[in-house]
Amino acid sequence: MNYQLLIESYSFGTPLSSNEIALLSLELETQIININISTDFACFKSAPLHICKSLSLRKGTYWIMCLAQILDLHETSKVGKTKSVEVFDLLLKKGIVIG
């Protein structure tokens, strides 16, 4: 299933199953690996406003950040950085966002 559809569904109040969370986690790992190949993927496009609002993110937030935010909301944070912080730091390092 398309990760954007899962995020869309979640933004409308549908809970995510543990299998869906696992799929989203795998998707994020894949996107992070692919950042070194290209930044011309859909994950670097802005998510719709209603999704950003439902995740308490600012307007124009990239899909990859929405994905990280959902994982942060569903996975118990281990010691260290959250997924959102890890992704933001990587995007900053690659010059995709400005800190």
Side-chain angles (χ1 to χ4, degrees):
M1 174 175 260
N2 183 313
Y3 78 95
Q4 291 173 335
L5 292 175
L6 285 175
I7 293 173
E8 179 89 26
S9 179
Y10 178 78
S11 74
F12 286 119
T14 304
L16 297 170
S17 70
S18 59
N19 286 339
E20 290 168 329
I21 297 297
L23 286 171
L24 291 176
S25 184
L26 181 60
E27 177 64 30
L28 181 62
E29 288 177 34
T30 302
Q31 289 180 9
I32 289 170
I33 290 167
N34 287 328
I35 284 175
N36 293 321
I37 298 168
S38 174
T39 58
D40 194 33
F41 294 110
C43 65
F44 298 111
K45 299 207 181 324
S46 297
L49 180 59
H50 69 278
I51 290 175
C52 295
K53 280 185 176 182
S54 73
L55 295 172
S56 301
L57 298 170
R58 66 176 181 75
K59 176 183 173 183
T61 298
Y62 292 141
W63 277 104
I64 193 170
M65 288 299 300
C66 295
L67 180 53
Q69 178 73 3
I70 285 180
L71 292 173
D72 287 344
L73 293 170
H74 286 85
E75 295 179 342
T76 305
S77 181
K78 299 173 184 144
V79 175
K81 296 179 182 179
T82 63
K83 298 281 186 195
S84 296
V85 170
E86 287 178 22
V87 170
F88 184 81
D89 287 349
L90 181 60
L91 296 178
L92 190 62
K93 180 180 173 185
K94 294 289 182 181
I96 298 168
V97 296
I98 298 171

